[in-house]
Amino acid sequence: MKDHSAKLTVLKILSDGSFHSGESLGSVLGISRAAVSKHIKGIQLWGVDIFRVQGKGYQLAQPLCMLDVERIQQEVTNPVELHPIIDSTNQYLLDRTESLESGTVCLAEYQAQGRGRRGRKWVSPFGANLYLSMYWRLDAGMAAAMGLSLVVGVAIVEALEGLGIEGVKLKWPNDVYYQDKKLAGILVEMSGQAGGAANIVAGMGMNIAMKDRDSEVDQPWVTLNEVMADDHIIDRNQLSIAFIHAWQQALRNYEQVGMQGFVKRWNSVDNFINRPVKLIMGQKTVTGISRGIDDHGGIVLETNQGMETYIGGEISLRNNE
Ligand code: ATP
Ligand code: BTN
């Protein structure tokens, strides 16, 4: 892995919000001003806004409160790894399921290859969002893995509610929505089976403070900052702790009671319940009124032919109002 320590040190120094001259940054790192300037350009490519004022030096355009793995680790029993710069937190865990303890969490500040379903890109600028994945050894095996994005979705909404953040909803099967815009995406992946158990990695990318400028996202999206309305800065460490607790509890609960324990909870926060939607399955499209999920986590549509249930990984649900 490339060594990013100089850039991360620069960011840590700048995160106090003050100006720092190229000379002072260079002397901390033992490098020239020109080398500092090169690192600043690299940091800007991660999506961080830094400007330079003649005679004063560099300053961050927005406050940056970096993730603090020690603080998170004090509050949770799961092993937590923070890799500020990574390709993908999901991929990191998938590559190591043989050696990791079930429940291990991987967090990052920036993903170079963040991904969504079917290999789509997940936009992941530095420090602006939350990229969190958890490895779970699911004794019930692969068949039970289908429902996991729904279970994790319920856990995310309930964790936010626990922090006083209301109005966040779910879109089947893997999106977190607020006022019809995407706030977060969930990606559940598998790295094969060990005996009867399935090695699962669940990952979430949640937009916290991402700016329009940063993103080439081609659908409506929203940040948690906007959801909060007031000016209070969201503590991503506190959020991470809340999500780790909620996921751990939900996954254990799912292993004990299965999907049944989540159907009511999921339907109570379904963004599209009782609204016209269409399901896109390759070339085929089905339209109807969404009636929420059934006991197996399939989406139920009231169509002209009656109630129909759809389940599977290759289906996209869209608003059809
Ligand atoms: P579906 O899963 O129903 O097909 P989707 O369009 O949400 O719908 P996903 O694969 O789940 O598709 O998510 C990837 C998509 O999410 C990308 O194609 C892009 O449009 C969008 N996206 C990427 N990064 C972000 C982000 N940071 N915030 C919101 N949306 C994003
Ligand atoms: C989606 O909406 O398709 C799911 C997006 C999932 C993004 C998260 S960010 C953390 C984890 N690592 C990844 O590469 N993807 C997931």
Side-chain angles (χ1 to χ4, degrees):
M1 219 181 263
K2 228 172 136 186
D3 179 17
H4 298 292
S5 56
K7 290 188 187 65
L8 293 170
T9 305
V10 169
L11 273 170
K12 229 169 237 154
I13 296 171
L14 292 179
S15 69
D16 69 1
S18 325
F19 278 103
H20 293 268
S21 68
E23 201 177 345
S24 68
L25 291 169
S27 75
V28 174
L29 292 162
I31 58 177
S32 68
R33 273 166 48 190
V36 168
S37 151
K38 233 175 115 189
H39 284 308
I40 297 277
K41 288 203 178 85
I43 295 171
Q44 286 165 333
L45 288 177
W46 291 344
V48 183
D49 232 354
I50 300 178
F51 58 89
R52 182 171 162 259
V53 174
Q54 196 78 38
K56 284 177 139 180
Y58 299 101
Q59 190 185 39
L60 286 175
Q62 269 89 38
L64 177 66
C65 167
M66 284 164 69
L67 290 170
D68 178 348
V69 69
E70 277 153 33
R71 184 174 151 210
I72 297 171
Q73 191 64 85
Q74 272 170 7
E75 302 291 332
V76 303
T77 51
N78 313 53
V80 181
E81 296 191 26
L82 168 65
H83 298 281
I85 309 296
I86 204 164
D87 282 345
S88 153
T89 52
N90 264 32
Q91 190 60 48
Y92 179 87
L93 294 178
L94 283 169
D95 288 342
R96 292 163 178 79
T97 54
E98 296 308 317
S99 58
L100 293 174
E101 189 182 312
S102 181
T104 299
V105 170
C106 178
L107 285 161
E109 295 281 18
Y110 171 85
Q111 295 185 118
Q113 309 277 343
R115 60 181 183 236
R117 292 208 298 164
R118 283 167 265 161
R120 293 191 196 117
K121 177 177 174 170
W122 188 256
V123 175
S124 309
F126 188 100
N129 297 331
L130 205 56
Y131 316 112
L132 185 156
S133 299
M134 186 185 282
Y135 162 53
W136 197 262
R137 194 170 181 280
L138 192 66
D139 289 328
M142 287 211 186
M146 271 308 300
L148 279 180
S149 68
L150 306 175
V151 168
V152 168
V154 168
I156 291 170
V157 173
E158 291 180 353
L160 291 174
E161 286 171 352
L163 295 169
I165 302 170
E166 303 287 339
V168 175
K169 302 258 164 83
L170 296 171
K171 178 187 130 208
W172 188 90
N174 70 319
D175 291 342
V176 181
Y177 261 50
Y178 181 74
Q179 294 184 345
D180 280 348
K181 294 186 208 129
K182 188 154 166 170
L183 171 68
I186 300 159
L187 180 66
V188 175
E189 297 180 289
M190 264 172 273
S191 81
Q193 282 184 280
N199 286 318
I200 304 291
V201 173
M204 176 202 69
M206 178 172 284
N207 300 326
I208 310 285
M210 183 163 76
K211 298 269 173 241
D212 280 354
R213 188 190 50 79
D214 293 330
S215 119
E216 328 92 80
V217 182
D218 51 6
Q219 59 174 305
W221 56 276
V222 65
T223 64
L224 198 61
N225 269 354
E226 295 165 75
V227 174
M228 304 279 292
D230 53 21
D231 269 350
H232 124 190
I233 295 178
I234 293 165
D235 179 346
R236 291 180 303 134
N237 292 302
Q238 190 194 352
L239 269 181
S240 305
I241 294 164
F243 288 137
I244 295 168
H245 281 148
W247 289 25
Q248 166 100 1
Q249 210 179 20
L251 290 166
R252 282 205 178 132
N253 192 219
Y254 180 63
E255 286 191 312
Q256 285 157 2
V257 301
M259 203 60 219
Q260 281 85 337
F262 293 87
V263 175
K264 247 186 158 167
R265 289 152 80 188
W266 199 95
N267 284 334
S268 71
V269 290
D270 177 0
N271 192 62
F272 287 104
I273 199 147
N274 302 328
R275 292 172 66 183
V277 297
K278 59 181 172 203
L279 293 183
I280 306 166
M281 295 161 270
Q283 301 301 317
K284 190 178 158 203
T285 298
V286 185
T287 59
I289 307 292
S290 170
R291 298 296 183 203
I293 59 167
D294 72 357
D295 277 355
H296 305 286
I299 185 82
V300 182
L301 234 62
E302 188 172 343
T303 71
N304 290 337
Q305 277 72 48
M307 293 293 186
E308 294 176 7
T309 303
Y310 294 87
I311 196 157
E314 299 291 309
I315 310 175
S316 294
L317 184 148
R318 294 284 178 272
N319 191 349
N320 198 30
E321 275 161 353

